[in-house]
């Protein structure tokens, strides 16, 4: 064969590899409303930017006739490319090849891109669509998974790791995405569970559908396993591209800055009259967020889970900022177990990747009750406290309205290391709400009074006058300024610009012991 023929042979071999499990299986994949691995990658990455590794890798298993089932690439497409011109590493499992199941060779390909992403310092994106460990390979497949898990953990906090679930993700296979920073699931085809409906039926005699056990809605809303839920995989891919634009390539870099066309000194007049006069009346925190961030562009994380707290990425003057905001519209913005865990994980992600934190606070306290206590609000609430206190990125808090009790302390208070704390004039900073406080402190006066109700109201007003404002905290120097709401955007941009060179090192240690 001359060299020209060799080139032609290479082309033929590549063309065959591109077809994965063959045309019939590609048709089946499309019939399920799913793209193939290569179609997914080409949508995820900038046009013509993909460089594939290991296209000709095959497994070497001979159990159960597997020697007759060999496909170039062995069920996973791996390599690197760019998103908005920045390098990312990627794998996409190919369900058309033995159900995308993971052989040792398949796992080695994934490990190779993970190792390279770590060396280079670039994000790692996994597009999962697999029947799990390749059953015919036995322990070799398990070894492959464990090697991936190990790398996920080593990469945690070093490079951003993003997982999309675009089909099945079952058994121990779920633990690789679980360790990554963000999981995307779509409502159409993705599901995740440690044990599937059949096993659940056998062991527990519980009948449950795949979707109800581990579909996107369950994991985005109930379990909190998935941070993003989408209508379909096209939307997932689009959102991954967007997410990456907010993030640095690795923990040694700052997030990318974009040109900001939204005026820095934009005054938002309506915010001066936005907070209801009755402090028990809810309002929508999204209105505040959207009005102050650049171009009302806010990428929310874990939107469907613990909606009483809002977390997500925005930009202020073109720089990425992570927002943590109580939502008075849901459970009055109270902190419960799920809200604490959601916020803690987000804060730790931002801190690991040099993303400054902005807290917009309106919190009446922690949620009381045996359900919360018995399920560990002490342990879980402590996670949020821990996350804020250990974060060394620039930290700014704006107390919008309520900052009561322990929740005042843990929501990035001055005392826990906030660099700048501003209040709106509507702020109320106290140990508890007026009625609760009066019941404890003035119970004797109230019960001895000729008119206990009137006395209660009088004492409540006294307490409100003293604490239901930001001035006591301002007198004590606990807040830096009481700002006009309309100037919030401008003041925040200035604060973050001032903090851009902040350098704080926590004490040297192997690692802390966050109450898991
Ligand atoms: C080998 C597999 C496979 C697997 C699917 N296939 N999963 N081959 N190992 N794990 C093959 C099928 O035999 C079939 O081959 C082809 O892929 C397509 O699968 P179908 O079943 O036809 O597709 P579908 O009807 O869409 O069902 C998909 C599925 C089902 C729900 C994922 O295939 C399934 O239940 N697979 C097994 C799931 C599982 O239990 N995996 C192990 C989990 S435990 P042919 O040639 O017939 O078309 C695990 C441990 C990890 O992963 C531990 C890590 C610590």
């Amino acid at each position: 064969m001359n060299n020209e023929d060799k080139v032609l042979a290479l082309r033929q071999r590549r063309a065959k590899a591109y077809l994965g499990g063959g045309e019939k299986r590609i048709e089946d994949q499309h019939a399920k409303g799913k793209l193939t691995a290569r179609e997914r990658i080409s949508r995820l990455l900038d046009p013509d930017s993909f460089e594939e590794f290991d296209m000709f890798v095959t497994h070497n298993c001979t159990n159960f006739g597997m020697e007759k089932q060999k496909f170039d690439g062995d069920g996973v497409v791996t390599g690197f490319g760019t998103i908005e011109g920045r390098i990312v590493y990627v794998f996409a499992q190919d369900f058309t090849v033995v159900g995308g199941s993971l052989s040792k060779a398949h796992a080695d390909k994934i490990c190779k891109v993970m190792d390279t992403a770590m060396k280079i310092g670039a994000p790692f994106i996994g597009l999962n669509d697999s029947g799990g460990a390749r059953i015919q390979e036995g322990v070799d497949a398990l070894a492959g998974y464990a090697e991936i898990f190990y790398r996920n953990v080593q990469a945690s906090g070093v490079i951003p790791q993003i997982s999309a679930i675009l089909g099945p993700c079952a058994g121990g296979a779920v633990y690789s995405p679980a360790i990554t920073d963000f999981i995307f699931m779509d409502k159409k085809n993705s599901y995740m569970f440690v044990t599937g409906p059949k096993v659940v039926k056998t062991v527990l005699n519980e009948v449950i559908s795949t979707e109800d056990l581990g579909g996107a809605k369950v994991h985005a809303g109930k379990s909190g396993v998935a941070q993003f839920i989408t209508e379909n995989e096209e939307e997932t891919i689009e959102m991954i591209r967007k997410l990456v634009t907010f993030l640095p390539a690795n923990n040694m870099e700052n997030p990318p800055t974009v040109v900001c066309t939204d005026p820095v000194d934009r005054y938002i007049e309506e915010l001066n009259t936005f907070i209801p006069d009755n402090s028990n009346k809810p309002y929508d925190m999204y209105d505040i967020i959207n009005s102050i961030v650049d171009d009302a562009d806010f990428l929310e994380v874990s939107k469907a889970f613990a909606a009483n707290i809002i977390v997500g990425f925005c930009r202020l003057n073109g720089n990425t900022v992570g927002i943590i905001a109580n939502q008075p519209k849901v459970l009055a913005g109270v902190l419960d177990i799920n809200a604490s865990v959601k916020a803690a994980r987000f804060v730790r992600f931002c801190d690991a990747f040099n993303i400054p934190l902005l807290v917009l606070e309106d919190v009446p306290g922690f949620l009381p009750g045996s359900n919360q206590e018995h399920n560990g609000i002490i342990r879980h609430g402590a996670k949020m406290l821990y996350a804020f206190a250990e974060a060394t990125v620039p930290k700014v808090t704006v107390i919008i309205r309520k900052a009561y009790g322990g929740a005042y302390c843990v929501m990035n208070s001055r005392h826990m290391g906030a660099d700048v704390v501003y209040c709106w004039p509507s702020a109320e900073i106290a140990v508890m709400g007026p009625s609760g406080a009066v019941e404890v402190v003035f119970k004797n006066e109230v019960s001895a009074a000729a008119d206990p109700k009137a006395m209660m109201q009088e004492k409540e007003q006294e307490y409100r006058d003293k604490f239901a404002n930001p001035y006591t905290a301002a007198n004590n120097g606990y807040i830096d300024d009481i700002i006009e709401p309309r100037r919030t955007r401008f003041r925040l941009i200035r604060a973050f610009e001032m903090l851009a060179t902040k350098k704080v090192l926590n004490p040297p240690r192997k690692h802390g012991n966050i109450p898991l």
Side-chain angles (χ1 to χ4, degrees), residues 25 32 69 95 97-102 130-136 141-142 145-146 149 168 170-173 175 191 194 198:
R25 287 182 193 267
K32 288 182 199 157
Q69 272 206 68
F95 194 84
V97 174
V98 203
S101 58
L102 185 131
S130 165
R134 183 151 322 148
I135 293 163
Q136 296 88 334
L142 299 184
Y145 268 123
F149 300 163
Y175 286 114
Y191 54 90
V194 173
K198 280 186 196 146

Side-chain angles (χ1 to χ4, degrees), residues 464-505:
R464 196 171 286 120
D465 291 344
K466 177 125 189 82
F467 289 119
N469 62 66
Y471 291 97
T472 306
N475 294 153
N476 296 343
Y478 296 157
I479 57 175
D480 297 295
D481 199 4
I482 304 166
I483 64 173
E484 280 199 39
R486 68 187 181 129
R487 300 192 74 213
T488 305
R489 170 175 165 80
F490 177 61
R491 298 292 296 266
L492 286 174
I493 289 173
R494 268 203 179 159
F496 281 117
E497 274 173 7
M498 176 272 289
L499 291 166
T501 53
K502 177 187 174 188
K503 278 204 172 45
V504 169
L505 287 179

Side-chain angles (χ1 to χ4, degrees), residues 187-443:
K187 290 181 192 164
K188 262 185 157 171
N189 284 311
S190 57
Y191 54 90
M192 296 177 84
F193 34 66
V194 173
T195 42
K198 280 186 196 146
V199 180
V200 170
K201 167 88 175 62
T202 312
V203 177
L204 300 168
N205 205 20
E206 182 188 333
V207 178
I208 188 161
S209 70
T210 297
E211 201 180 343
D212 288 343
L213 186 63
K217 277 192 189 156
V218 166
H219 286 311
K222 267 194 182 163
S223 72
V225 166
Q227 284 73 32
F228 294 96
I229 180 169
T230 64
E231 291 301 321
N232 51 45
E233 60 180 85
E234 286 84 352
E235 192 189 347
T236 291
I237 289 168
E238 226 170 83
M239 282 186 73
I240 294 175
R241 283 182 62 88
K242 176 155 182 158
L243 173 62
V244 168
T245 66
F246 283 97
L247 310 181
N250 59 65
N251 64 336
M252 303 304 280
E253 289 183 8
N254 286 327
T257 297
V258 306
V259 176
C260 174
T261 50
D262 191 352
V264 166
D265 56 358
R266 179 167 55 80
Y267 281 12
I268 309 148
E269 295 298 338
E270 59 274 21
L271 288 187
N272 271 8
T273 51
F274 180 74
I275 301 297
D277 290 330
N278 175 352
S279 72
N280 290 326
K281 227 176 140 191
Y283 58 86
D284 194 344
M285 185 60 87
Y286 289 115
D287 291 336
I288 298 180
I289 294 173
N290 289 330
S291 68
I292 61 178
V293 304
D294 291 357
D295 305 309
D297 186 12
F298 177 58
L299 179 62
E300 189 169 2
V301 175
S302 301
K303 185 183 172 106
F305 183 70
N308 40 328
I309 203 158
I310 300 168
V311 302
F313 301 107
C314 72
R315 291 190 184 89
L316 285 172
N317 196 18
N319 297 303
T320 302
V321 171
I323 292 185
I324 301 95
N326 310 110
Q327 170 58 296
K329 247 181 88 172
V330 179
L331 295 172
V334 77
L335 292 176
D336 58 4
I337 290 170
N338 288 349
S340 304
V341 173
K342 168 174 161 178
R345 185 162 165 81
F346 182 72
V347 167
R348 296 191 99 217
F349 175 82
C350 291
D351 186 46
F353 290 102
N354 312 316
I355 297 173
L357 297 169
L358 168 61
V359 171
L360 300 174
E361 181 167 355
D362 186 348
V363 60
F366 281 96
L367 183 63
S370 57
N371 177 291
Q372 289 287 305
E373 297 294 348
H374 295 176
N375 285 298
I377 184 65
I378 297 174
R379 189 161 52 88
H380 297 295
K383 291 175 185 170
M384 190 169 72
L385 178 169
Y386 193 114
F388 275 123
E390 78 171 344
T392 58
V393 289
K395 296 185 283 191
V396 176
T397 296
V398 182
I399 302 175
I400 305 282
R401 189 168 64 178
K402 293 175 187 162
Y404 283 134
Y408 160 73
C409 304
V410 307
M411 287 289 299
N412 198 37
S413 60
R414 150 70 20 84
H415 328 283
M416 293 243 314
D419 300 296
V420 173
V421 180
Y422 290 142
C423 282
W424 283 10
S426 45
E428 303 173 11
I429 307 170
V431 173
M432 55 175 69
S435 60
V438 168
E439 262 173 43
V440 177
V441 180
F442 300 110
K443 62 175 179 304

Side-chain angles (χ1 to χ4, degrees), residues 69-241:
Q69 272 206 68
K70 287 211 179 199
F71 297 87
D72 280 344
D74 205 22
V76 64
V77 181
T78 60
F80 70 94
T82 58
I83 291 182
E84 302 282 339
R86 298 163 68 225
I87 287 187
V88 297
Y89 285 80
V90 59
F91 77 79
Q93 289 177 313
D94 183 353
F95 194 84
T96 69
V97 174
V98 203
S101 58
L102 185 131
S103 66
K104 182 66 171 57
H106 176 132
D108 288 345
K109 286 181 63 173
I110 295 175
C111 289
K112 190 196 267 189
V113 275
M114 295 178 87
D115 290 342
T116 319
M118 282 287 275
K119 266 191 279 185
I120 278 27
F124 168 66
I125 302 170
L127 307 181
N128 295 266
D129 186 3
S130 165
R134 183 151 322 148
I135 293 163
Q136 296 88 334
E137 286 209 5
V139 69
D140 280 345
L142 299 184
Y145 268 123
E147 291 193 15
I148 295 170
F149 300 163
Y150 179 79
R151 283 166 175 78
N152 285 132
V153 174
Q154 299 303 311
S156 180
V158 180
I159 53 173
Q161 301 183 83
I162 299 169
S163 299
I165 313 300
L166 304 170
C169 183
V174 295
Y175 286 114
S176 171
I179 297 166
T180 63
D181 300 302
F182 302 103
I183 296 181
F184 288 76
M185 294 182 78
D186 68 75
K187 290 181 192 164
K188 262 185 157 171
N189 284 311
S190 57
Y191 54 90
M192 296 177 84
F193 34 66
V194 173
T195 42
K198 280 186 196 146
V199 180
V200 170
K201 167 88 175 62
T202 312
V203 177
L204 300 168
N205 205 20
E206 182 188 333
V207 178
I208 188 161
S209 70
T210 297
E211 201 180 343
D212 288 343
L213 186 63
K217 277 192 189 156
V218 166
H219 286 311
K222 267 194 182 163
S223 72
V225 166
Q227 284 73 32
F228 294 96
I229 180 169
T230 64
E231 291 301 321
N232 51 45
E233 60 180 85
E234 286 84 352
E235 192 189 347
T236 291
I237 289 168
E238 226 170 83
M239 282 186 73
I240 294 175
R241 283 182 62 88

